[in-house]
């Protein structure tokens, strides 16, 4: 039924795009140039230095990650974990490539104010991938909370800058294949032992949008070249427009536990069905779907080749996989707890100059479930936490959480 509805919606969207293209009085080149000019108005941020610890006053942003509880399901994995962390500007090299971004590292265990410094402890490590044109800063809330649960998090900022050449027909497009290569190198960098706090045999891929789709494709490539290196994948609103295409790559993941989270309110990377986001620059407005062939190629279609649902449906029958659809989020707020974190606000301010996303209001006191279920997934995989297992695979956990559209799709596991 979902597939039939998506197919009908896709046909309607194709017809709408064709009508818009015929009626438009502004050519593609001019329209896309206007879009690019709007994007460039934000400017670029200065580069960062190697392993520069942030100020002492900001050393513990995880302690500020707690949110007001609500009458919703309260899981054991909500909010900040038991570790104080450091966040560092970081520059690293691997395979003749230099990358820049952030490194989040647990530095002390904080048990209700009793702080114990950590010495010679290794933590599971996460490679985090950002979305198309999205800065690593936009994800600070999510990466901070993940690290506070006892994870080293390496966040690349490469491929985050867009200019007009990325949005003109015939111009240089964002090379998602190279971005997937960046994520694979980052995993191998962590596996090399270069980050002394990272457990080289406990690495996962996590990402959003382009980073979500890229995490799937990168993990699949690594499963072929370095079997068993990647222990888990978490893909939030994964874009099925990445090359290699995630829906074609996911069967290669084998027994790698894979969590897919998307949103019913996502107009740019929908769970299924057509893209409905609009490009808005001043009084100019046009469907984003109408420029997909110009920017990303004719082969994508207006539904990103079946979207997130197609990725899930193509997973191997041996893959412990889950597809959870968040009720109250759009493409940007899905990586937040309540839509109010600083990074989300930065993302909304940045993208609102040229894209229009639907406003999705949380219920009073509501908490978005993405981060806490990402934590639960990692705790189940890396620490064999029985509460995490029960929450994810039991009969009274995620399947009863009304922050998700039910039923949550699960390829069951018994361990």
């Amino acid at each position: 039924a979902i597939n039939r509805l998506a197919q009908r919606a896709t046909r309607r969207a194709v017809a709408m795009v064709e009508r818009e293209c015929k009626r438009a009085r502004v050519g593609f080149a001019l329209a896309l140039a206007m879009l690019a000019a709007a994007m460039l108005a934000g400017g670029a941020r200065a580069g960062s230095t190697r392993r520069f610890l942030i100020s002492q006053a900001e050393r513990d942003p995880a302690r500020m990650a707690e949110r007001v509880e609500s009458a919703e399901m309260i899981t054991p994995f909500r909010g900040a974990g038991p570790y104080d962390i450091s966040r560092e500007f970081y520059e690293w090299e691997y395979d003749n490539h230099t990358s820049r971004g952030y490194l989040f590292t647990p530095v002390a265990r904080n048990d209700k104010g009793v702080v114990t410094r950590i010495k010679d402890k290794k933590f599971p490590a996460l490679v985090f991938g950002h979305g198309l044109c999205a800065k690593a800063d936009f994800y600070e809330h999510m990466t901070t909370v993940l690290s506070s649960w006892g994870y080293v998090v390496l966040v690349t900022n490469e491929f985050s800058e867009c200019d007009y050449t990325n949005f003109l027909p015939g111009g240089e497009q964002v090379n998602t294949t190279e971005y997937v290569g960046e994520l694979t190198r980052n995993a191998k960098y962590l596996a090399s032992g270069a980050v002394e706090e990272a457990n080289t045999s406990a690495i996962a891929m996590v990402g959003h949008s382009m980073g979500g789709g890229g995490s799937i494709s990168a993990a699949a490539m690594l499963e072929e070249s370095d079997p068993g290196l990647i222990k888990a994948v978490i893909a939030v609103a994964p874009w099925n427009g990445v090359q290699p295409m995630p829906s074609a790559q996911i069967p290669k993941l084998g027994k790698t536990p894979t969590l897919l989270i998307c949103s019913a309110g996502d107009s740019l990377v929908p769970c299924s069905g057509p893209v409905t986001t609009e490009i808005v620059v001043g009084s100019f407005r046009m469907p984003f779907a109408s420029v997909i062939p110009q920017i990303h190629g004719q082969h994508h279609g207006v539904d990103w080749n079946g979207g997130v649902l197609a990725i899930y449906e193509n997973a191997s029958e041996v893959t412990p996989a889950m597809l959870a659809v968040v009720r109250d989020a759009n493409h940007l707020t899905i990586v937040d707890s309540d839509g109010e974190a600083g990074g989300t606000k930065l993302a909304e301010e940045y993208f609102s100059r040229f894209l229009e996303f639907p406003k999705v209001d949380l219920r009073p006191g509501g908490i978005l479930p993405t981060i806490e279920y990402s934590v639960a997934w990692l705790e189940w995989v890396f620490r064999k936490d029985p509460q995490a297992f029960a929450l994810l695979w039991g009969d009274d956990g995620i399947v009863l959480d009304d922050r998700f559209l039910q039923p949550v799709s699960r390829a069951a596991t018994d361990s």
Side-chain angles (χ1 to χ4, degrees):
I2 293 175
N3 284 330
R4 289 196 297 272
L5 289 172
Q7 289 169 1
R8 288 198 294 270
T10 298
R11 288 195 293 270
R12 289 195 298 270
V14 169
M16 178 192 70
V17 168
E18 290 176 346
R19 289 196 302 271
E20 291 292 333
C21 290
K22 290 177 181 178
R23 293 168 53 192
R25 297 290 183 247
V26 180
F28 269 121
L30 178 58
L32 294 173
M34 292 169 62
L35 170 60
M39 294 183 68
L40 286 172
R45 298 190 62 166
S48 58
T49 58
R50 184 186 300 271
R51 290 200 71 140
F52 182 74
L53 191 64
I54 62 175
S55 68
Q56 186 67 27
E58 298 174 313
R59 189 168 183 167
D60 185 22
R63 298 269 64 81
M64 301 175 65
E66 300 286 359
R67 291 291 184 263
V68 176
E69 304 289 9
S70 72
E72 301 170 332
M73 177 179 286
I74 299 175
T75 77
F77 307 101
R78 178 175 293 188
Y83 290 93
D84 293 346
I85 68 166
S86 70
R87 171 180 176 267
E88 308 169 59
F89 298 105
Y90 195 65
E91 182 180 283
W92 64 99
E93 294 183 5
Y94 188 84
D95 196 21
N96 297 318
H97 286 81
T98 300
S99 301
R100 297 172 183 83
Y102 297 99
L103 182 69
F104 294 77
T105 310
V107 294
R109 187 172 179 95
N110 192 326
D111 293 304
K112 297 181 180 180
V114 179
V115 178
T116 306
R117 300 293 298 180
I118 296 169
K119 296 181 180 179
D120 304 322
K121 183 176 177 62
K122 303 288 187 180
F123 294 94
L126 314 179
V127 173
F128 191 94
H130 59 73
L132 180 66
C133 302
K135 311 293 190 296
D137 294 343
F138 296 169
Y139 302 94
E140 183 176 358
H141 178 64
M142 184 172 187
T143 50
T144 293
V145 175
L146 291 177
S147 185
S148 76
W149 282 87
Y151 295 90
V152 171
V153 186
L154 183 64
V155 188
T156 183
N157 202 42
E158 300 301 305
F159 297 88
S160 64
E161 297 293 341
C162 292
D163 61 29
Y164 71 94
T165 63
N166 302 120
F167 289 87
L168 288 178
E172 181 181 358
Q173 306 304 319
V174 174
N175 191 323
T176 57
T177 303
E178 289 188 5
Y179 182 69
V180 171
E182 165 76 4
L183 298 179
T184 61
R185 286 193 299 273
N186 294 348
K188 291 181 178 181
Y189 175 76
L190 288 172
S192 73
V195 178
E196 61 182 4
E197 301 91 347
N199 182 341
T200 60
S201 62
I203 299 172
M205 310 289 292
V206 184
H208 169 248
S209 195
M210 179 176 72
S215 292
I216 295 168
S217 297
M221 294 172 64
L222 287 166
E223 186 61 22
E224 291 185 314
S225 64
D226 300 84
L229 176 62
I230 302 303
K231 300 299 191 294
V233 175
I234 298 173
V236 181
W239 177 31
N240 202 29
V242 170
Q243 296 297 322
M245 193 179 300
S247 59
Q249 297 299 306
I250 195 169
K252 301 176 184 178
L253 290 182
K255 296 183 179 180
T256 306
T258 302
L259 173 62
L260 307 176
I261 302 177
C262 59
S263 172
D266 194 329
S267 58
L268 184 60
V269 182
C271 300
S272 63
V275 174
T276 57
T277 293
E278 289 195 315
I279 297 170
V280 179
V281 181
S283 61
F284 174 77
R285 179 184 292 268
M286 71 185 301
F288 184 85
S290 66
V291 303
I292 288 176
Q294 299 290 323
I295 300 175
H296 301 290
Q298 297 282 348
H299 59 287
H300 282 300
V302 297
D303 66 344
W304 301 128
N305 310 292
V308 185
L309 180 62
I311 299 175
Y312 176 77
E313 290 181 336
N314 284 350
S316 167
E317 62 181 14
V318 302
T319 303
M322 185 178 296
L323 172 59
V325 181
V326 178
R327 285 183 183 275
D328 301 323
N330 63 28
H331 187 65
L332 303 180
T333 60
I334 193 172
V335 291
D336 198 354
S337 291
D338 61 2
E340 298 297 325
T344 301
K345 291 300 184 184
L346 287 174
E348 289 179 332
E349 179 181 343
Y350 180 80
F351 286 109
S352 66
R353 292 177 290 117
F354 50 90
L355 292 176
E356 184 174 84
F357 293 103
K359 177 68 173 176
V360 181
D361 293 320
L362 282 172
R363 288 167 286 185
I367 302 295
L368 290 163
T370 304
I371 299 177
E372 63 193 272
Y373 278 91
S374 296
V375 170
W377 196 263
L378 296 170
E379 293 292 283
W380 163 57
V381 171
F382 289 117
R383 299 188 171 114
K384 309 302 180 186
D385 189 304
Q387 287 185 300
F389 178 81
L391 179 67
L392 295 165
W393 302 107
D395 296 330
D396 56 358
I398 192 171
V399 294
L400 298 181
D401 194 331
D402 69 357
R403 292 175 294 173
F404 296 104
L405 295 183
Q406 298 294 346
V408 170
S409 300
R410 302 187 295 179
T413 182
D414 58 4
S415 62

